[in-house]
Amino acid sequence: MIELFTADTPNGKKIGIMLEEIQYDYKVTKVNIYKDEQFKPEFRKISPFSKIPVIIDHDNNKEAIFESGVILMYLGEKSNQFYDDNDKNLINQWLMAQMGLIGPMIGQHHQFHHFNPGKSEFGEQRYFKITKKLYEDLDERLSKVKYLVGEKYTIADIATWPWISRHEWHDIGLKNYKNLTRWYLDIAKRKAVIKGFDLMKKGETIPLI
Ligand SMILES: N[C@@H](CCC(=O)N[C@@H](CS)C(=O)NCC(=O)O)C(=O)O
């Protein structure tokens, strides 16, 4: 059994979706990051930067893994799904682009534009512009390929999709990016994505366009 320590955020949803995709037995342990539970000493033992998500693999000597990209790699290798050996370099590139660029930049856009509007015009404009450019770049990539890496759905899509699922917060107009929209809606239909998106079992549905 895999224990997933998480909150209901794009980084958390990635792992819920992956666990649903590979159909592993898992349990969600909620970490309320709005009440600072991530800073508790017990949690910091498995998450040195006090961040969700983290997994403990109870079938593998209780191995604890933090960093969502590495968790996806681990589960991809363990299940032999969505992380094909032959495409590893390509998958890693798109996965790392999500981890190092797409997530951190869109995360800042959430902070300035959605959660704290009016506090910093510079911050709002900067991350709006960067997020819009990410939509453009992803749209261009997806005009050439079905999924980020090519014809196959991989952990790179699983990592990136939950960030785009916050499109209503972004105010960029997802429907204006037809390739990105096609990819988004195609993945939104997957049973595992619908279930993993509702990570906290609150009946949360995917925002369509
Ligand atoms: N690079 C990390 C980022 C994780 C991350 O930023 N988690 C956020 C929620 S999405 C968090 O735990 N925030 C709590 C805090 O910063 O105190 C990963 O992908 O796992």
Side-chain angles (χ1 to χ4, degrees):
M1 190 267 289
I2 306 272
E3 185 170 4
L4 168 60
F5 295 79
T6 191
D8 201 9
T9 70
N11 286 325
K13 283 182 193 291
K14 284 176 196 175
I15 311 303
I17 290 170
M18 181 66 174
L19 287 163
E20 290 291 341
E21 290 283 9
I22 61 177
Q23 305 220 304
Y24 270 31
D25 182 23
Y26 71 98
K27 130 174 177 194
V28 171
T29 298
K30 294 178 194 170
V31 180
N32 191 336
I33 58 174
Y34 307 102
K35 290 198 173 155
D36 285 351
E37 285 179 7
Q38 68 275 32
F39 300 111
K40 287 187 175 167
E42 313 89 85
F43 185 64
R44 284 178 53 81
K45 279 188 200 149
I46 55 170
S47 182
F49 295 103
S50 310
K51 304 279 183 206
I52 62 91
V54 178
I55 61 164
I56 291 185
D57 186 346
H58 289 276
D59 301 325
N60 185 16
N61 292 322
K62 298 200 172 187
E63 174 153 14
I65 304 172
F66 67 93
E67 276 298 323
S68 60
V70 179
I71 298 172
L72 289 174
M73 289 164 147
Y74 176 82
L75 294 174
E77 279 179 355
K78 187 176 165 89
S79 66
N80 212 7
Q81 291 182 75
F82 311 114
Y83 193 34
D84 198 321
D85 268 349
N86 299 320
D87 299 327
K88 253 186 189 166
N89 282 341
L90 204 51
I91 298 172
N92 288 346
Q93 285 174 52
W94 286 94
L95 179 66
M96 291 306 125
Q98 187 289 308
M99 294 299 299
L101 178 66
I102 297 169
M105 294 299 113
I106 297 185
Q108 293 306 313
H109 182 47
H110 290 172
Q111 288 302 322
F112 286 102
H113 180 81
H114 181 74
F115 291 117
N116 298 285
K119 288 204 179 142
S120 164
E121 199 184 328
F122 172 78
E124 281 183 54
Q125 284 180 6
R126 173 176 165 80
Y127 293 106
F128 189 91
K129 201 168 149 198
I130 293 175
T131 302
K132 188 162 184 286
K133 178 75 167 50
L134 289 171
Y135 271 50
E136 286 164 15
D137 293 343
L138 287 169
D139 192 64
E140 190 184 331
R141 171 68 179 164
L142 291 163
S143 70
K144 300 183 192 116
V145 283
K146 187 167 182 206
Y147 296 107
L148 289 174
V149 167
E151 284 310 296
K152 286 188 214 145
Y153 173 70
T154 70
I155 57 171
D157 300 290
I158 295 174
T160 306
W161 186 91
W163 286 94
I164 304 302
S165 79
R166 293 281 207 229
H167 62 92
E168 288 172 336
W169 292 10
H170 302 160
D171 283 331
I172 308 268
L174 177 56
K175 66 174 185 313
N176 300 321
Y177 299 85
K178 78 174 187 336
N179 307 296
L180 185 58
T181 298
R182 188 258 310 142
W183 169 87
Y184 175 71
L185 292 177
D186 180 32
I187 294 174
K189 283 188 219 137
R190 297 177 72 90
K191 277 203 184 88
V193 174
I194 294 168
K195 270 186 102 176
F197 184 82
D198 187 23
L199 188 62
M200 297 302 174
K201 308 288 170 244
K202 292 185 299 198
E204 198 185 353
T205 55
I206 295 172
L208 302 175
I209 293 161

